[in-house]
């Protein structure tokens, strides 16, 4: 036993002791003390600068203050949430959107309003992945989901996904009914009179500019389901009725509050301009684009809607070769949901129903007073005919750029094959531009126009394409001199610069009236921001 204990003792004696060199401790001690002294001097320097502001210290203290502010903003807690609206939910509203970015945004805002009107719980919308654009983006890839939910919590209850007990796996099978397009608010309120226990709405937005078929499924207490439909401009007929009596809307929907009807008028605009905020990744890159352009002076955002899908859909082939016209026709026949197949291009162009070509836009912009030093940002996807069709525009306006020219390829890499995310960048630049000029009144043109009105009626040139086609043909046929052409173009657009105007309303014919989101005149105050 004694031998074993001696052996253990010998082994322990051989183990090296964890000795830290004294020099290393001294070095760390000196570093800590130096840091404390330096920070103390820095704080004193800031205090002295704030008291006397000597020239030598002013710049330093300002920079330090900026750095401090940045850190404070990073640490700052988010703004307090609005109190949630208290109401007994009648069920759930599911939205599946179709089309491009701005068509889907308009549909989402419509459904936010319907959810508020019918006291429903809105499920975060599903975005289209099967249309022409084949964009795999989900809602959270484009929009800030948490901001969407929080900013509307005082109006509508929003959840990220439907409770499992309402899935098809649990026997929920909708009864389909034919679509009812262009329905107004009374249509929805009549469904409420059925006094059901749970509702689920499944809304599918159509791909055309004027139609948005939204399928609605109503779940009764007995688990019966009826599928109904509404139109794209359902909310237009509600908003325009400023003189409507409160009894026109179910009192239970507005909680007996006279201000609720006014809030319902404003809600779709709040949803579009405040609640549907892009993701931080998109906003960061969008603001970078805007900053790069603004550093070089004022700029024009030209929404050059001369893309393959637009030309194929509209049947407009002016300026195209025979081979290109045939290619566009084949594409039109390849998509069965595009109703019109045989289209006479020149007839449609003479009616002002075609987007202006890049070559035509050169003459129009020059006639409107834009010179060769004008900075132009092309807010569009791939131009049909590629750079060949942009040669005239670049020759007349050398400062013409696209996002692909301003940003590095690696910055755009994350957005490749995601057309809606790329469109979001163009949307941000278009809204921030000094002048916005769309060559066709599609969804983006209309939505950007309305947003710019909301921001204080920023300059938006609404081209009178029918009149322009007449003038362009006369000028190119040499029957109208350049000076006369310039005067005629100016007169045609004198009152089409985004000024406050009344929205055209046709009683009981919402399809023929002006698009609400392009000119929400009922909810804007003239001359205000």
């Amino acid at each position: 036993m004694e031998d074993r204990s001696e052996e253990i003792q010998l082994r322990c004696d051989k183990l090296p002791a964890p000795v830290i060199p004294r020099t290393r401790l001294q070095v760390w001690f000196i570093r800590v003390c130096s840091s404390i002294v330096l920070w103390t001097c820095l704080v004193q320097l800031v205090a002295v600068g704030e008291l006397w502001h000597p020239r030598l210290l002013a710049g330093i203290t300002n920079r330090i203050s900026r750095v401090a502010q940045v850190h404070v903003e990073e640490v700052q807690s988010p703004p307090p949430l609005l109190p949630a609206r208290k109401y007994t939910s009648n069920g759930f509203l599911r939205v599946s959107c179709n089309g491009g970015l701005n068509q889907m945004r308009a549909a989402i805002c419509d459904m936010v309003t319907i959810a508020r009107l019918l006291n429903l719980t809105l499920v975060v919308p599903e975005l289209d992945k099967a249309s022409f654009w084949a964009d795999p983006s989900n809602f959270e890839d484009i929009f800030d989901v948490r901001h969407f939910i929080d900013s509307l919590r005082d109006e509508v209850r929003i959840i990220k996904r439907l409770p499992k007990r309402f899935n098809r796996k649990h026997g929920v099978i909708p009864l389909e009914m034919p679509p009812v397009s262009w329905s107004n608010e009374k249509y929805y309120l009549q469904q409420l009179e059925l006094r059901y226990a749970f509702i689920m709405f499944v809304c599918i937005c159509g791909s055309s500019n004027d139609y948005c078929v939204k399928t609605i499924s109503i779940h009764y207490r007995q688990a019966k389901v009826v599928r109904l439909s509404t139109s794209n401009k359902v909310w237009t007929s509600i908003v325009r009725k400023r003189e409507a009596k409160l009894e026109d809307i179910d009192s239970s929907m507005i909680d007996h509050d006279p201000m609720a009807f006014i809030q319902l008028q404003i809600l779709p605009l709040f949803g579009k301009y405040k609640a549907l905020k892009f993701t931080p990744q998109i906003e960061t890159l969008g603001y970078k684009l805007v900053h790069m352009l603004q550093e070089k002076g004022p700029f024009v955002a030209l929404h050059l809607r001369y893309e393959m899908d637009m030309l194929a859909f509209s049947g407009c082939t002016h300026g195209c070769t025979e081979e290109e016209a045939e290619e566009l026709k084949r594409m039109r026949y390849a998509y069965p949901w595009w109703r019109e197949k045989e289209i006479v291009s020149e007839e449609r162009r003479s009616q002002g129903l075609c987007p202006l070509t890049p070559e035509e836009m050169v003459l129009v912009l020059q006639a409107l007073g834009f010179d060769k030093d004008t900075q132009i940002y092309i807010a569009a996807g791939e131009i049909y005919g590629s750079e060949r069709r942009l040669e005239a525009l670049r020759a007349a306006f050398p400062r013409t750029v696209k996002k692909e020219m301003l940003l590095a390829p690696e910055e755009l890499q994350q957005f490749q094959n995601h057309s809606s995310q790329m469109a979001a960048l163009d949307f941000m630049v278009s809204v921030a531009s000094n002048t916005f000029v769309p060559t066709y009144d599609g969804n983006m043109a209309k939505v950007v126009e309305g947003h710019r009105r909301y921001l204080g009626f920023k300059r938006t040139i609404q081209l009178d394409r029918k009149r322009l086609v007449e003038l362009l043909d006369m000028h190119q046929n040499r029957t109208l001199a350049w000076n006369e052409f310039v005067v005629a173009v100016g007169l045609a657009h004198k009152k089409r610069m985004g000024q406050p105007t009344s929205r055209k309303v046709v009683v009981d014919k919402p399809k023929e009236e002006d698009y609400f989101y392009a000119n929400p005149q009922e909810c804007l105050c003239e001359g205000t921001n």
Side-chain angles (χ1 to χ4, degrees):
M1 292 294 293
E2 292 180 358
D3 294 339
R4 183 174 296 178
S5 61
E6 290 178 0
E7 185 180 350
I8 294 172
Q9 183 66 31
L10 288 172
R11 288 181 182 178
C12 293
D13 292 340
K14 291 179 182 180
L15 291 174
V19 180
I20 300 175
R22 184 174 296 178
T23 54
R24 184 179 297 177
L25 288 173
Q26 291 174 347
V27 170
W28 279 107
F29 180 75
I30 292 170
R31 286 180 179 177
V32 171
C33 293
S34 301
S35 299
I36 294 172
V37 172
L38 286 173
W39 276 108
T40 304
C41 294
L42 195 59
V43 171
Q44 295 297 326
L45 187 63
V46 172
V48 171
E50 289 178 351
L51 288 173
W52 287 287
H53 291 288
R55 292 184 180 181
L56 181 63
L57 299 177
I60 299 174
T61 55
N62 287 338
R63 289 182 182 180
I64 293 172
S65 299
R66 287 196 200 108
V67 173
Q69 286 176 2
V70 170
H71 288 294
V72 169
E73 288 175 1
E74 289 177 356
V75 178
Q76 250 182 1
S77 59
L81 296 176
L82 294 169
R85 175 171 167 256
K86 296 181 180 180
Y87 65 97
T88 302
S89 176
N90 289 316
F92 303 93
L93 176 67
R94 293 186 62 194
V95 183
S96 179
C97 304
N98 194 351
L101 171 68
N102 293 286
Q103 181 173 326
M104 290 192 291
R105 291 176 76 230
I108 292 169
C109 294
D110 284 343
M111 291 299 100
V112 166
T113 309
I114 296 303
R116 173 63 174 82
L117 179 68
L118 300 184
N119 283 341
L120 298 169
T121 298
L122 178 66
V123 182
V124 169
E126 301 171 1
L127 303 187
D128 175 33
K129 298 180 178 64
S131 66
F132 168 82
W133 296 273
D135 187 343
S137 300
N138 294 315
F139 186 94
E140 61 271 18
D141 297 323
I142 302 175
F143 303 109
D144 188 329
V145 179
R146 178 44 53 191
H147 178 80
F148 179 67
I149 294 173
D150 291 343
S151 61
L152 290 168
R153 71 194 303 268
D154 62 328
E155 295 287 354
V156 178
R157 190 176 302 136
I158 303 176
I159 59 176
K160 290 186 177 180
R161 56 187 60 86
L162 188 72
K164 291 183 178 180
R165 66 180 181 275
F166 294 106
N167 289 336
R168 288 180 177 270
K169 294 180 181 179
H170 291 76
V172 179
I173 303 175
L175 172 63
E176 296 188 2
M177 295 179 66
V180 182
S181 299
W182 300 99
S183 303
N184 60 19
E185 76 282 8
K186 292 181 180 179
Y187 173 81
Y188 293 97
L189 296 173
Q190 286 171 357
Q191 307 310 314
L192 267 188
E193 293 175 359
L194 300 174
R195 305 301 178 190
Y196 41 82
F198 297 101
I199 310 172
M200 180 196 300
F201 286 52
V202 182
C203 308
I204 305 174
C205 307
S207 59
S208 75
N209 290 337
D210 293 327
Y211 292 96
C212 193
V213 178
K214 299 180 175 70
T215 308
I216 299 173
S217 306
I218 299 179
H219 293 244
Y220 293 97
R221 188 186 303 271
Q222 296 83 3
K224 294 181 179 179
V225 180
V226 180
R227 177 171 289 180
L228 307 171
S229 303
T230 71
S231 75
N232 186 25
K233 298 184 180 177
V234 57
W235 187 239
T236 302
S237 60
I238 303 175
V239 174
R240 73 161 186 264
K241 291 172 59 177
R242 304 186 69 176
E243 72 286 353
K245 298 179 181 178
L246 290 179
E247 52 261 35
D248 290 341
I249 293 183
D250 191 335
S251 60
S252 64
M253 294 299 97
I254 59 176
D255 301 324
H256 303 282
D257 182 2
M259 291 300 295
F261 184 69
I262 298 174
Q263 292 172 357
L264 283 174
Q265 290 180 307
I266 300 172
L267 185 56
L269 297 184
F270 182 84
K272 182 173 287 294
Y273 303 143
K274 296 293 185 181
L276 281 177
K277 181 181 179 183
F278 294 124
T279 62
Q281 294 82 1
I282 292 176
E283 288 207 336
T284 299
L285 206 55
Y287 286 133
K288 181 178 180 179
L289 275 171
V290 171
H291 182 67
M292 294 172 72
L293 291 163
Q294 289 176 340
E295 277 187 331
K296 299 175 183 178
F299 68 96
V300 176
L302 177 63
H303 183 40
L304 193 59
R305 194 67 169 96
Y306 201 77
E307 297 148 315
M308 187 176 184
D309 65 301
M310 183 70 249
L311 299 179
F313 173 76
S314 62
C316 300
T317 58
H318 183 76
C320 297
T321 64
E322 291 185 4
E323 291 77 10
E324 289 173 335
E326 188 60 32
E327 180 183 33
L328 294 172
K329 185 176 180 179
R330 287 197 300 270
M331 181 180 181
R332 186 163 62 252
Y333 273 89
Y335 290 89
W337 52 85
W338 290 355
R339 297 181 182 179
E340 295 184 81
K341 302 300 181 183
E342 291 297 325
I343 301 174
V344 180
S345 175
E346 290 306 314
E347 286 184 6
R348 179 150 294 191
R349 178 174 175 269
S350 65
Q351 296 169 357
L353 301 177
C354 287
L356 295 177
T357 68
E359 295 82 5
E360 290 173 333
M361 279 309 303
V362 171
L363 299 175
V364 172
L365 290 172
Q366 290 174 336
L368 288 170
F370 297 101
D371 58 29
K372 64 181 181 63
D373 294 324
T374 302
Q375 183 181 199
I376 297 178
Y377 175 86
I378 298 179
E382 181 66 28
I383 302 300
Y384 190 59
S386 193
E387 288 298 316
R388 174 179 62 84
R389 298 304 302 270
L390 293 176
E391 289 177 358
L393 186 65
R394 295 193 188 280
F397 301 98
R399 298 179 65 195
T400 298
V401 296
K402 298 179 68 176
K403 54 184 171 291
E404 291 81 3
M405 297 171 60
L406 297 174
L407 299 173
E410 54 270 19
E411 291 179 295
L412 286 173
Q413 182 63 39
Q414 58 181 321
F415 302 118
Q416 293 297 332
N417 301 320
H418 295 83
S419 59
S420 292
Q421 297 182 45
M422 296 287 265
L425 297 175
D426 286 338
F427 177 86
M428 291 184 64
V429 176
S430 298
V431 169
S433 64
N434 299 87
T435 305
F436 177 62
V437 185
T439 62
Y440 187 78
D441 55 354
N443 286 301
M444 176 170 172
K446 293 175 181 177
V447 171
V448 171
E449 177 191 345
H451 201 142
R452 290 171 67 83
R453 288 179 183 274
Y454 167 79
L455 293 175
F457 302 99
K458 298 176 70 174
R459 192 185 189 203
T460 301
I461 303 179
Q462 304 151 307
L463 298 178
D464 185 347
R465 294 189 304 279
K466 184 176 180 179
R467 178 62 175 154
L468 284 174
V469 166
E470 297 174 0
L471 296 174
L472 286 164
D473 289 345
M474 290 170 64
H475 175 64
Q476 291 173 346
N477 293 336
R478 299 185 179 182
T479 57
L480 185 68
W482 173 252
N483 291 339
E484 296 173 332
F485 176 77
V486 171
V487 172
V489 171
L491 289 174
H493 296 86
K494 186 177 181 179
K495 296 182 179 180
R496 302 175 68 92
M497 296 289 176
Q499 305 98 322
T501 56
S502 298
R503 190 172 64 86
K504 177 185 174 184
V505 175
V506 182
V507 179
D508 296 328
K509 294 182 180 180
K511 187 176 179 180
E512 298 178 14
E513 66 185 25
D514 291 341
Y515 188 49
F516 173 70
Y517 288 121
N519 183 18
Q521 175 251 330
E522 295 91 338
C523 299
L524 300 179
C525 297
E526 184 173 343
T528 62
N529 190 331

